[in-house]
Each structure stands twice: as structure tokens, then as C-alpha cells.
Amino acid sequence: MNPPLGPRPSADGWRGVIGDEFTAANAATVAACILRVVRQAQPCDDLLIGFDGREQGEAAANAVAAAAQALGVRRNTVVPHLPTPTATHAVRTGAADAALLITASHNPPNWNGVKAKVAPGAPLTSEAERRVVELLSRPADASPPPGDARATTTWKPAADFTDPHVTAAAALAREPARRLLRVVVDGLHGVAGTPMAKLCTALGWRPIPVGCQPMPDFGGLIPDPSSPASRTRAAQEVLVSGADLGIVLDGDGDRMYVLDDRGESVLPHELFALLLEHRGADEPTGAARRVAITVATGTIVHRVAERLGYEIDEHPIGFKHLSPLLAQGLAAAACGGVGDLGFAEHGLDRDPFAAVAALADVLHRTRAPLSVLVDDVRTRNGALRWFETRVPGSAEPDRLRAIGVRALAEVLGARPQRITEVDGIKCWLGDGQWFLLRPSSTEGGIRLYGELADTPHVAAQLDKLTGMVRADIGVDSHRK
């Protein structure tokens, strides 16, 4: 089954290069297939359509509204510069039956895409996505009927939705601010910087906004906080301003990195571990004693969860694999490895606004600097050196396994204690170390993730590992 040329499935939604795989017409086709699948399971009379600052966002939103109207959706609301977690909150609270977002999230500026959020406030399930892909593979069924959405479309400003979302997130913080924390907020010129700055104000903090004006090219940055280069500006501002912490958001605002008062990055799994430790006193009665994580999540989460008596399960990358477990009461909390986390009591999807409110509780309760809290978690749970990169090329699973095993043997002199294939090839070493090779679902190439012991030689080891994998995958790709 081969889908027609158009946005390709990713960990969250469909994405493609603007003017190539992504066009307004292709976005409308994807949206029509999503709506056909969603409306088989639930009503969809009120549709929220948002877009970020990328090129062709407005044209795609108009095309999606026309497709929705032609399929019988009664009310379409189009909102420029709508953060994805805000759209999820609108669906969760009944302000919309479903939401379609024109965004490519953290991908480079020349990409755009389509995401969906459905009741009760979650991404499409894997099964629903499979059915959408099936429809897209049949061009005669995929194309939306012609229509004109002008009669059924209302345009609203983002603040109509972000303000209620900010208010709800601020209400999650139970501990009042004991002092005026200064917080750098870098939206990376995406759409979530200004709403996050408003949340900081609502929490009793003083925001220091940078990069909060949406721009089509994201100011020359890649709107991905997991890229160290994208965190440099915020780190410098933390040091220059003497701020207590920094918050860096991705292009559509559903992924986040936090910086401590030294301007140093708190990795997403470290933040999750910190919040999980402090969650105990406020844990809802009868909550599931299980944590769901993706295969790219750090070892520190395993160690904290096990010490607190949580069972832990690994799942493929993408919060769509974790959200159903929160919805079904099968997990109390969920964490990915790219700045996405959630707790069941806060919702069913990743939401940096709720995470910041939870962090506020920790900071207000302990009255300790974030650097002290994070160093304490690292010391008690054993810090490892995290890495992530991407190399060009492709390889089948068996070949990928052989490449990973050979690289580990030659660089570290180690053989995996076990290998799992939940998503890609994950080689488990001793003392919590691991190495994951996974085909990228969006941009192509092979993603490398892992954690190694933080020794004086680890940087050189990581360079050698990456170089060997790059060379071997290049050979394998050439053979094809």
C-alpha cells in the first residue's frame, strides 16, 4: 500500500516539504481523510483549525475549512498562531469537537504538516492513523468534494483560546510563589512564546521573553529545543539577566526544554524524574502505579520510577502511543525523550503549560534553585551522558542490528546484554547504558540515541560510534 505523493506519516501527524509533499491541496486531502475516520467514531460539528507562522499555513487552513464544510462539518473556526496544546485543551474542555493544526512542529522552516486532536483531548490513536493512511492510498476516496467554507467559517484570535488555557494551567499550581522568579521564555519564533510568558506572569513570576514573535523562518533557527543550537540564545539570556530558569519551546508549543539558573539544560527525562519524585504528595487516590515512556527516554526515569514503586513500560516514539494509556487509566504519567511529558491528572496529551505549573509547585515548595534540585536528582540516580544525532542513509532491521552491535564492540569493547525492537534497534548495556538506532519517520536517515557512562573519554567514544554508524549505513545504502 503506497500513499500518493503528499505529507508523510510522522510520530505526530503528516508532514512534508512545503511546495513539494506539502501543499494546501494535499493538506485538505489529509484533513478530509482524518475527518472521515474521526466522524465514524464521534460527532464533529465544531471543528477548530489552527496554523502556525510557517509558509502556506493560512492557505492550507482555508483549504482544510473548505474540505470540512464539504464533508458536512457545521461550524469551522480558524485561529492563526494557535499552539497545539491549546487546541488540545479546547477539545478536552468541550470548546471544540476536534482540532486540525497546520504545523510541522519542530521540523525545519521549509516543512509544514497536519496534526489532529480529538475527544477527549488526545492525538489520533495508532489504529485511527492506520485507517487514515489506508484512505490516502486510494486517491478516488481521499480527495475531498469541492466546497466553499466562507459561509461556515469564523476567524478568531489565538487569545480567545490561549487565555483560558493559561488560566487553567495556572490553577494546577497549588503552591504560591514565595519570591519573584525571573524566567527567560524563548518561543524560537513559534506560536507558544507569548502564551507561556503569560503563564509565567500568572504563576507570580517575571517573564523575560525572547523569540516570542512568530516568524515564517523562525529567525533562522530550527524550532526544535532538543537541538543544542536552538537553546543557546536562551542560555545566554539566563546568564546575562541573572534569571532563575529558562523555558525553550518548539514551533507549535507542545515540546519544551528547561534551563537551570546556570543556563545549563535540564534534559526532558531529568525534568520528568524531578516532577515524578515530587508528585507523590499530590498523587490522586487510586492512580495507576505505572509509568509509560518511549524508547528514547533516559535511564533516570527507570530508576526513579522503580524506586517509587511504579511499573514501567517502553513504547514506540510518539506521544500517540502513550496518550491512550493515560486515557484508559493504565498509566499515571508518561514521558518521551524529546521534551514531551504528561500526568494523568493534568490531561491526556503532552502539555508544556501543565508541566511548567507542576515545576512551579516544586520550586515554590522547596524554595531551592532549579540547579540544586536537578543536581540532587542526578547524584542520587547516577548521571549518564545523553546523546542524539541523525546520520543519512537507510538500513533494514537486521543490518541495523549488525551495525549497532559492531560499533559497540569496536568502540566500547562491549556486547549488548539484550536487544529490544519496540521501535528501531535498542542495545542495552550494563549500568543503565543503551544505544538506539531508529529510522526517522519524517526527515529520513537514521536517528541515534543513547546514554553512556559520563567518563573523560565519553565524547570521543560518541564521535567514534557516530562515525562508524555513518560509514556502515552509507555502505548499506549504496548497496541498495
Side-chain angles (χ1 to χ4, degrees), residues 78-394:
V78 177
V79 182
H81 298 169
L82 183 68
T84 292
T86 297
T88 303
H89 178 263
V91 174
R92 184 162 67 91
T93 57
D97 294 330
L100 294 174
L101 292 311
I102 310 300
T103 179
S105 187
H106 59 282
N107 290 116
N110 62 323
W111 287 70
N112 212 335
V114 182
K115 286 186 180 184
K117 302 297 176 181
V118 297
L124 293 176
T125 64
S126 297
E127 173 59 21
E129 281 201 354
R130 185 194 64 76
R131 292 165 61 199
V132 172
V133 170
E134 190 175 277
L135 281 177
L136 287 168
S137 71
R138 305 197 301 264
D141 298 330
S143 298
D148 185 344
R150 286 174 293 184
T152 62
T153 300
T154 301
W155 282 66
K156 290 187 177 181
D160 284 8
F161 295 89
T162 56
D163 286 353
H165 183 206
V166 166
T167 299
L172 296 173
R174 299 180 177 91
E175 295 284 336
R178 310 292 181 179
R179 64 185 180 92
L180 185 66
L181 298 181
R182 292 169 295 173
V183 184
V184 172
V185 177
D186 192 344
L188 295 180
H189 298 291
V191 295
T194 295
M196 182 59 75
K198 287 184 177 181
L199 175 60
C200 291
T201 300
L203 292 170
W205 299 346
R206 182 187 138 200
I208 304 171
V210 296
C212 289
Q213 179 63 37
M215 299 174 67
D217 66 349
F218 299 99
L221 297 170
I222 295 176
D224 182 359
S226 68
S227 168
S230 297
R231 302 193 297 270
T232 299
R233 178 173 62 187
Q236 292 172 343
E237 186 62 32
V238 167
L239 295 176
V240 169
S241 65
D244 296 280
L245 68 149
I247 299 169
V248 187
L249 299 146
D250 76 340
D252 68 330
D254 63 359
R255 290 169 43 173
M256 170 187 76
Y257 263 63
V258 170
L259 309 175
D260 66 19
D261 45 292
R262 301 167 299 199
E264 297 180 4
S265 297
V266 181
L267 295 174
H269 45 265
E270 295 173 330
L271 176 63
F272 182 77
L274 175 66
L275 297 180
L276 190 64
E277 282 197 332
H278 284 265
R279 177 179 181 268
D282 299 322
E283 185 174 335
T285 303
R289 301 297 299 179
R290 185 178 294 273
V291 172
I293 63 175
T294 67
V295 293
T297 302
T299 295
I300 193 170
V301 175
H302 286 265
R303 291 174 174 168
V304 169
E306 290 168 0
R307 179 164 48 78
L308 295 175
Y310 288 93
E311 295 183 45
I312 193 161
D313 295 320
E314 284 199 339
H315 299 269
I317 288 177
F319 214 82
K320 65 187 177 187
H321 300 290
L322 309 182
S323 182
L325 303 174
L326 297 176
Q328 297 164 26
L330 299 178
C335 178
V338 290
D340 46 345
L341 56 88
F343 292 89
E345 59 266 31
H346 297 158
L348 308 178
D349 204 357
R350 55 189 173 189
D351 185 349
F353 291 80
V356 166
L359 178 59
D361 264 346
V362 176
L363 294 172
H364 297 168
R365 181 184 301 157
T366 63
R367 307 188 191 187
L370 182 56
S371 58
V372 171
L373 296 172
V374 174
D375 282 351
D376 176 59
V377 169
R378 290 169 177 158
T379 299
R380 287 185 291 105
N381 293 283
L384 296 169
R385 175 71 70 90
W386 161 268
F387 65 94
E388 176 190 355
T389 190
R390 182 171 66 93
V391 300
S394 61

